[in-house]
Amino acid sequence: MTTIQDVARHAAVSVSTVSNVLNGRGDRMRPATLARVEAAIATLQFRPSKSAQQLKTGQTPLLGLLVPSMANPMYGYIAREVETFAQERFGYRLLIGSTYRDAAKEAAFFEDLRAHGVRHVIVISSLAEERHLDSAVARGMNVMSYDRRAAPGRPSAVGHVTPDNFEAARLATGHLIAKGHTRLAFATVAGMTMSRSDKIEGFFAAADAAGLRASAKVLDGGPLNEYGDSVIAEVGRATGLQLANDSRRATGIVALNDLMALGLMAGLREGGRHVPQDVSVVGIDGLFLAALSDPMLTTVQLPIRDMARAMVEQVMQAGAGAEALARERVFSEVRLIERESVGPPPRPARSSPMTKARTAKK
Amino acid sequence: MTTIQDVARHAAVSVSTVSNVLNGRGDRMRPATLARVEAAIATLQFRPSKSAQQLKTGQTPLLGLLVPSMANPMYGYIAREVETFAQERFGYRLLIGSTYRDAAKEAAFFEDLRAHGVRHVIVISSLAEERHLDSAVARGMNVMSYDRRAAPGRPSAVGHVTPDNFEAARLATGHLIAKGHTRLAFATVAGMTMSRSDKIEGFFAAADAAGLRASAKVLDGGPLNEYGDSVIAEVGRATGLQLANDSRRATGIVALNDLMALGLMAGLREGGRHVPQDVSVVGIDGLFLAALSDPMLTTVQLPIRDMARAMVEQVMQAGAGAEALARERVFSEVRLIERESVGPPPRPARSSPMTKARTAKK
DNA sequence: TTGAAAGCGCTAACAT
DNA sequence: ATGTTAGCGCTTTCAA
C-alpha cells in the first residue's frame, strides 16, 4: 500500500506538504512544488486511507441506510436514489443493511454503524417504536426516518421525511368513489405502523366524505413473516383469493402499496374474478412494475426521488443542530396515475341489503 | 466517544488487557480481571473503533458490492442474499454501489473501495471488458465476478460465479419447441455481454437440435440508456409492441430475463396480441414478480441464493491464493417453472412460406 | 497475569 | 514556503 510518506519521499517534500495538497491547500506552496507532489500522487496512484483520515478527523464519507429488505423493489428504488444523490452531491458511499423487520437486527446494524464511525443514517424501519433512534442521535448520529411522522408530543431528535400517506389513500379512495364504488375496502397486512394508520385514516376520510363509512372496511391479510421481499405480494394474493370467494365483497379496493395490489390482482384472478370488471384495485407507490401488469395498475405516485434527496440533504446537515435536523417534511406531491385496474362497479347481481343511497350512475 | 482508554481506566487495568479481552484472550488473565473489564465495557457501552482497528490490522469487515442498479429487482435480490450471508457467516457489512453500466462510475467505485481499505468485492458488471478487475486484484483485492465466465485463454485472477446461461436458454427454448413452436425468437437488448451471448447460443442450440435454426432469430430491442431500473422492461415493451404488428412474427419467444419478459407481455398486449394464445413467452431468472403477472410467467429459475453464498464464501478466502480465488463456478441447477405464458402455437392463419416441416400436433 | 510502548496513515497546529 | 511533530484508537510485541 502506498502511503503519504511514499509520496512525500517521491516528491522530495514533507508529509505535511503532501497533506496540504490533498486538502486543497495547494496555494500555500510554490507551483513547482505542487506540480511535483501531484505528479508523485499520480505516479504512485496514491489514495489516502479513509481509515487513517477518519481516525484523525472523526469523519467518514459513509451513509448508513437501513431498509426492511433490499429485495423489495420499492426499497431498492429508494436506496438507489439515496445512494446516487449522496454520491453526486456529497461524495458519500452507502453502507446498507436489510433488517427483515427485526428489532435485534436493526439494533445490531446501528451498533456496527457506530463502530464504523458512520454518523449519518437514514432509516426505513417498520418497527412500531422509534426510541432506539433517539438513542442513536444521543450518541452523535444524524438520523432521518422515512415514512413516519414525528410522534406527537414527544420531541424527537430524529428528522422525518414521509409521503402524505393520508392524502395518498384519500386520493386513491376518492378515485374509486368517483367511479361509483360504494363498497370500499382497504387491504393491508398485520401490524400497525404510522404509515399504515395514516393510509387507513385517509381511506376512511374519503369514505366518510361520501357517506360511505358504514360499508367501508379494512382487510387485514395477516402477518408478514420471514423474509420481507415477495411476501407482501403473497399476502395480497391470499387476500385476493379470499375476496374472490366472498359474495359480499367490496367492489373497490385500495391496497397498502403496489406490491400488495399486484398480489391482490393475482389472487382475485386466481379466484375467478376480473379486474376491473368485478373488482377495482388501486395501489400506492408508483413502482414501474405497476405499469407492467395486466390490467395495468392504477396507483398513486409518490415523489420518491424528491424524498430521497431531501433525506440525504437533511441528514448531511453538518451543524447537527437539533432544530434543522429534527425537522419533519411531509411530501404532499402525490398524484393519481389512472391506468386500467379501476372501472365502474359491477351492477349488483341482486338486491343487496348493503346498498347505500345514490345508485351509481349508469 | 468512549475509547479503550476509558475502559482501561474504568476497570483499573491497562489498555493491553482490555485489548486482550476484545480479542478473545480473556484466558490470559485472572477471572476477576476479565469480569471487571467486561463490566466496564458493558457499562460504558464500548465498541472498538473499526477504523482504528483497521489502521492497525489492515482489515475491515466490509464487503464491496457493485451492481448496475439497485432498483432492478434482480440485483436487489442478489444484494440481499449476499448481504445476509456475509453478515451471518462472516460478520461483514455491505458497501454497495450502483454503476448504471458506466465504466467511469465503476472505476470510481473501485477507487473508493480501495481508499476505504475494502479488500473483498463482488462485481456484477455489464461492461464488456474485465481487465479493470484484474488491476483491482493486482492491488490486493479479492474479487468475484458474477454472471460471466473467465475469459478463455487469458488467465484471470478474479473468481467467477455464474448461472449456466447456455443451459437456461436451452431449457426455455426447448420448452417452447416441446409445445410445438417452430418460429422462435430470443428477445434481448443492445450490447453483447458474455451472459447474453451464452443465452443466445443456448437458444440456437435448442433450435438447431430441432431443425429449427433457419427460422430462429434474435430480436435486439435497442440500447439500455440511462438509469437501468425499469428500462429493460421498457425495451421489452417496445419489442412486444413491434412484434404485435409483425405478421411474420415468431410464436415462441425467449426473453433475456424476467423483466424483459414482463415488458414484452405488456407490449404484446398493448398491440392487441394475447399471451399465450397468439405468442408464448418464457423468461429467465425466476423473480417472484414472474408469479404475479397475468398470465403468470413461465420462467427458468436460477439458483440465486446458492450463487450468492458461493460468491461470498469464495471472496472471503483468506489465503488470497490465486488458485482458490480465481476458480470458476458454473451453476447448472436451473429449472423450468411452468406457469401460464406458454401454450401451443396458434394455428397458422394462412399458408406461410416459412412453415417448416412437422406441422405441430393439433 | 499485567503493563509500557511503538506504530498503523493521516491532519493540523506550530515551528522555521 | 516548507518541515517537525503530536496524537487520533487500537493491536501487539516485549518486559516486568
Side-chain angles (χ1 to χ4, degrees), chain A residues 203-219:
Chain A
F203 166 73
F204 279 127
D208 253 344
L212 264 18
R213 175 72 178 240
S215 62
K217 59 189 67 157
V218 170
L219 264 28

Side-chain angles (χ1 to χ4, degrees), chain B residues 27-66:
Chain B
D27 55 330
R28 285 202 197 171
M29 62 202 74
R30 292 210 313 269
T33 308
L34 175 57
R36 272 209 325 286
V37 173
E38 283 174 336
I41 289 174
T43 306
L44 302 178
Q45 299 199 87
F46 169 71
R47 297 291 320 254
S49 153
K50 297 286 183 196
S51 55
Q53 289 181 314
Q54 181 184 357
L55 196 53
K56 195 64 199 164
T57 65
Q59 306 286 323
T60 186
L62 252 23
L63 172 62
L65 176 62
L66 189 156

